[in-house]
Amino acid sequence: KEAGKEPVILLAEDASAGDLAACQAVALGCPSMGDEILEESVMEPFVEEAEKMVSGKTIGLFGSYGWGDGQWMADRMKQAGAVVLGAEDAICCGAPDSGAEEALKELGRQLAEV
């Protein structure tokens, strides 16, 4: 909103990957549920379908993890043909601190420019 755009916020359980078709830029967020594993009942199936539709789109990634660095999700989206923003800055270990919160705002500003 600070960058002059109105975001559309959908929960993965309420969305379909087809909702991504009309978007040039999308933010995807989820905590990792283990070592390079997404939540398996909703988010993983959503991302599997989204991978078929993200080629050429700008994807902003955010979330948290308990170990590792979150880079695996960025690599996954890049392999699907997406331009990835935020992967290293807007993904944090544990709960977001003030630095991570500012990185999330910057990610929103970058997505609004797309």
Side-chain angles (χ1 to χ4, degrees):
K1 288 182 175 182
E2 291 173 9
K5 298 283 177 96
E6 189 64 35
V8 175
I9 300 171
L10 299 172
L11 299 176
E13 58 263 11
D14 298 331
S16 71
D19 292 326
L20 303 178
C23 301
Q24 271 306 111
V26 177
L28 296 175
C30 177
S32 66
M33 305 303 284
D35 188 14
E36 301 183 356
I37 299 171
L38 294 174
E39 185 280 322
E40 294 175 341
S41 67
V42 175
M43 195 64 179
E44 179 61 35
F46 178 82
V47 170
E48 285 176 3
E49 286 299 309
E51 285 174 305
K52 300 171 188 171
M53 301 182 163
V54 297
S55 183
K57 296 188 183 296
T58 301
I59 305 291
L61 296 176
F62 67 97
S64 61
Y65 58 90
W67 55 85
D69 63 5
Q71 185 59 41
W72 61 276
M73 190 62 185
D75 293 342
R76 185 173 172 177
M77 290 291 102
K78 287 176 184 176
Q79 287 177 341
V83 174
V84 178
L85 302 176
E88 293 179 17
D89 298 325
I91 295 176
C92 63
C93 183
D97 59 14
S98 60
E101 289 177 5
E102 184 53 41
L104 290 169
K105 288 180 182 180
E106 177 58 26
L107 175 60
R109 289 188 283 271
Q110 290 175 10
L111 289 170
E113 292 176 4
V114 174

